[in-house]
Amino acid sequence: MKKNTALWTAFLAFMLISNASFAQRMLTGRITDGTSPIAGASILVSGTKTGSSSDAEGNFSINSNLESGQLEIKFLGYLSQLVKFSKNKDLGTIVLAPSDNQSLEEVVVVGRGVIDIAEGRMTPIAVSTIRQTEIEEKVGAQDITSTLVNTPSVYITSQARGFGESSMNTRGFDQSNTAFLLNGQPINGMDNGRVFWSNWSGLTDIASVVQIKRGLGSSKLAISSVGGTINFVTKSTDMKQGGFLKQTVGNDMYVKSTIGYNTGLMKNGFAVSAMFTHWQGDGYMNKTGGQGQSYFLSIGYKVNEKHNLNLMVTGAPQSHDQAFNSTLETFLQNGRKFNSNIKTINGVAMNPRMNYYHKPVANFNWDWKIDDKSSLSTVVYASMARGGGQSDRTDASKQRVPYLAADVNNHQWYGIVSNYNRKLTDHLNFNVGFDLRDYKGEHYRQVTDLLGAQSITHSGNVNYSGPLTASNVYTTNPWKAWGAKPKNAEDRLAWDYNQMIRYAGLFGQLEYAKDGFSTFFQGSLSQQQNSREDFFLYKIGEGKSKKVNNFGYNVKGGASYTVGHHSLFGNAGYYARQPYQNNIFMNFKNDINENAKNEEILGLELGYKFASKYVDVNINAYKTTWAHRVTSNSRLASAKDVEKYNPTNNPDILVVGDYVYSTNYGVKQDHQGVELDFVTRPFTGFEFKGFASVGDWVYKGSSTTIVRNQDRVELATENTDLNNGKVGDAAQTSYGLGVKYSIIKHLSVDADYRAYDRLYSSRQAGQGNVLQLPSYQLLDVGASYKIVLSPTNSLSFRININNLLDKFYISEANTNLFATEGTSTWRGINTANNVLIGTGRTWNASMKFTF
């Protein structure tokens, strides 16, 4: 009996050990770049949600119940790798190849919990990622937005208006309603949500990743991500010593020179990376020249295994002349480079329209690995900007003396974002954090050129009786703009007010994942306080407005299920977003707008993803409704506008060619559509990709419209019927194909074809009253070649030709003039419409020496 008991005990012990061994196979290995360990790499068992990350020495271990399978290994800045496993428990050393051998490849990414890159996220989302190689190859002389042209539901207009003048729409929503983040820091203007790409020209040099999460996305912040969220992740402090020199040239005398250097990780734990760029060019359209610089400094310090610190400072001071929309007839008669801003003033032909700006940004990141289950990421940031937009004016005297003046938009902005992450169990993860911002904007007009006059007169400041005289001139040099603030009221023309915005947000996320199933819930609360102080329209000491407090929130949730290479997901979310300050205070005064309610956004998404070694496919369907929103647009005043809006007692309040601004309150939009993107790698050195998106974006109901002239004087209040009118300014149907082929080692060619259809005017109107523009197609080509001079030195060449076929097309319009009998037309379009013609054939070439 004792013998039988011993046998049974041994048998049961053997079975338990065997079952435990079968149930949990321990997979181990080490991730390196060939010389140094890679910490923080993502390791996931394909077809499951079982995963881990590498430690400071690159080591990892994963418990898996699979007899065989493969691991998906990913790390930002390196090519993803699939590693098969069967009976082997120790996979040994796995070497990841850099995604770009020509640039800062060993990037230390800081602020991981704040930046929130969707690399290896458990919950799938509608996301597209553009890595450093493609950014460097494709941008050339364009804005950073050009990296997203081959993305579903994204529409980018050209830079025909001038350097940095591109614009971007996502799922039919403009830039003010798409959230832009720099290393997790919000960069949309706090007063109106806008983003001006001329202020961010340096991003083309310092971005390591650009990621767009369309629709709800995965950002935990309470931000304006109605169309989507675009995250720009900059290069951080490089661990490897070395540098590069790069020279770029392009059409219309474009020249750009860049130098970068990295100290590498020094014995004292510090590492420094720095970069400086100078660019200049004549501009594509007539008299739209510009020049500028960009700078980047990143200082990293590894305190110990638990604490990493990084300080980054970047800026892009620039100035450039501008072009605006003109009638189609004007472009057809004078060519697509015609610039209606060119004027003869005092006998001299000039372009008085110019933008100048300098917006340095600094952020300090602290990553704290508290223990194996928890971490804290914090970024403290500051931005102080100086600059404005110049135009021609006439003074208040009887002689109507001409002069140039700038509408100044200075600001100072401070903030902090912090996120705490806690692994509650093997399958449950929790995040909580806060977002604080403090903003002050200064707005006034100042003289930049007296055009030979001794002084000019102006009026309107209620603190003074009679006209004032201004004789001081202030610079438009972006470097010197810091000292160009007028100290006396006589030099502040037309308006003089400050905007103050304070914001506090709290966010959290709970995420569960097990055996191919995952679900998440996100929520955020925010309080925003808006106030303004006016020194022009109110007596000194009486110009402080009431403090307007608005409470906002959002909730998002979703689930996904993965089987093998297939994933299905669904997300839903609701936003109650506070109105921007420019919509809270009416008529640019302290009058509070009763129509400025919280905007209500409801988003629904479904998606399917197939991922394998040879092909990746994503299909997404979405529906977004948006109520109580405020929109605005502008157009050049026509003779009909002058007749309609000019009062008899003030016939000069609006003249032909002035800008007319319309603000629409109570707008409701309904956007729905389907998106597809894929990439296939049938054999080594060949990549074929494509995208397509079909949307149905319409307005619902009616809105109240306030019309103003370019001096912000109210001309009229109208009721506009918008029901079922098409949303314009972005193509509702788009598709494209791209190919990249390595002919031999280090020599590759690529091409991208895109087509756009169902593009409508941005001028809002009801069903049947919105102008549809002609469809168009574009073809871009490029080639790259690299010469390896030594193990550490290389010489790289790149050439791009955009719009190879020199296609003449309308990229946007802001009028709704239909063709009638006797009117002049082009491809069925009335040539009296106010349009922007897309950029024709352009080119750029670069050479880069890496050492």
Side-chain angles (χ1 to χ4, degrees), residues 163-165 196 198-199 289-291 318-322 352-358 387-391 407 476 478:
F163 290 105
E165 295 282 341
F196 300 94
S198 57
N199 303 333
Q291 68 168 350
Q318 60 77 40
S319 61
H320 69 275
D321 294 334
Q322 297 173 300
R353 293 280 184 170
M354 184 258 282
N355 173 274
Y356 67 101
Y357 220 73
H358 187 186
Q390 177 184 270
S391 60
D407 295 343
T476 56

Side-chain angles (χ1 to χ4, degrees), residues 617-633:
V617 179
N618 296 283
I619 302 174
N620 305 295
Y622 65 89
K623 181 178 178 63
T624 304
T625 58
W626 189 357
H628 303 308
R629 72 162 303 197
V630 178
T631 64
S632 61
N633 54 65

Side-chain angles (χ1 to χ4, degrees), residues 287-309:
K287 290 188 180 295
T288 55
Q291 68 168 350
Q293 298 77 36
S294 63
Y295 53 87
F296 170 77
L297 176 67
S298 182
I299 303 173
Y301 178 57
K302 187 174 183 179
V303 181
N304 51 42
E305 294 302 321
K306 289 184 176 292
H307 298 277
N308 278 300
L309 305 175

Side-chain angles (χ1 to χ4, degrees), residues 108 137 140 362 410 650 685 757:
V108 178
E137 286 182 349
N410 300 333
N650 191 359
D757 195 9

Side-chain angles (χ1 to χ4, degrees), residues 670-849:
D670 189 343
H671 293 221
Q672 54 190 336
V674 179
E675 303 164 339
L676 164 72
D677 64 273
F678 69 88
V679 58
T680 178
R681 300 165 290 273
F683 54 85
T684 303
F686 183 80
E687 180 180 88
F688 181 67
K689 59 185 179 181
F691 74 92
S693 57
V694 179
D696 181 23
W697 312 327
V698 297
Y699 295 106
K700 294 294 183 180
S702 61
S703 71
T704 300
T705 302
I706 298 177
V707 183
R708 299 181 177 91
N709 69 2
Q710 60 188 19
D711 287 325
R712 303 178 180 178
V713 176
E714 183 176 332
L715 303 176
T717 299
E718 305 169 341
N719 187 67
T720 306
D721 178 16
L722 302 176
N723 199 43
N724 291 322
K726 297 292 185 180
V727 175
D729 222 18
Q732 300 201 19
T733 297
S734 62
Y735 55 91
L737 297 172
V739 62
K740 184 175 182 178
Y741 177 59
S742 296
I743 301 173
I744 58 175
K745 188 176 182 180
H746 302 313
L747 175 62
S748 65
V749 294
D750 54 83
D752 291 291
Y753 168 85
R754 300 184 301 280
Y756 301 100
D757 195 9
R758 297 172 59 235
L759 172 62
Y760 298 91
S761 166
S762 62
R763 184 73 182 275
Q764 297 170 349
Q767 185 176 16
N769 295 315
V770 183
L771 181 70
Q772 182 172 348
L773 305 178
S775 60
Y776 65 92
Q777 304 79 38
L778 299 175
L779 177 64
D780 301 337
V781 297
S784 299
Y785 182 59
K786 179 180 178 180
I787 302 173
V788 179
L789 304 174
S790 72
T792 57
N793 298 340
S794 63
L795 194 61
S796 305
F797 302 88
R798 174 70 186 181
I799 185 169
N800 290 303
I801 303 177
N802 298 314
N803 192 2
L804 177 67
L805 304 180
D806 203 28
K807 184 78 172 182
F808 185 94
Y809 62 97
I810 301 173
S811 61
E812 62 179 65
N814 54 21
T815 53
N816 288 323
L817 303 177
F818 288 85
T820 58
E821 185 177 352
T823 60
S824 172
T825 63
W826 177 81
R827 295 187 61 184
I829 300 297
N830 188 333
T831 59
N833 277 290
N834 205 44
V835 303
L836 178 68
I837 300 299
T839 305
R841 184 187 299 115
T842 59
W843 64 272
N844 61 82
S846 63
M847 179 176 67
K848 182 179 180 181
F849 174 62

Side-chain angles (χ1 to χ4, degrees), residues 518-576:
S518 71
T519 186
F520 80 101
F521 176 80
Q522 289 178 201
S524 70
L525 306 173
S526 61
Q527 184 74 23
Q528 182 165 296
Q529 182 185 91
N530 289 272
S531 61
R532 72 189 301 272
E533 185 172 12
D534 198 306
F535 311 100
F536 196 89
L537 299 176
Y538 298 86
K539 292 287 187 180
I540 299 297
E542 300 177 0
K544 288 186 178 181
S545 73
K546 291 183 179 179
K547 294 179 179 179
V548 180
N549 293 286
N550 295 98
F551 175 76
Y553 64 91
N554 69 53
V555 290
K556 293 187 283 188
S560 70
Y561 185 66
T562 300
V563 180
H565 299 293
H566 307 272
S567 296
L568 291 171
F569 77 90
N571 295 328
Y574 178 83
Y575 288 75

Side-chain angles (χ1 to χ4, degrees), residues 198-201 276-279 289-295 315-321 354-360 384-390 406 408-410 446 448 474-485:
S198 57
N199 303 333
W200 301 100
S201 61
F276 183 80
T277 294
H278 173 82
W279 65 267
Q291 68 168 350
Q293 298 77 36
S294 63
Y295 53 87
Q318 60 77 40
S319 61
H320 69 275
D321 294 334
M354 184 258 282
N355 173 274
Y356 67 101
Y357 220 73
H358 187 186
K359 187 175 185 175
M384 298 185 68
R386 298 289 184 270
Q390 177 184 270
V408 175
N409 179 13
N410 300 333
Q446 64 186 18
T448 55
Y474 296 90
T475 182
T476 56
N477 183 317
W479 287 99
K480 298 179 179 180
W482 293 90
K485 293 176 61 176

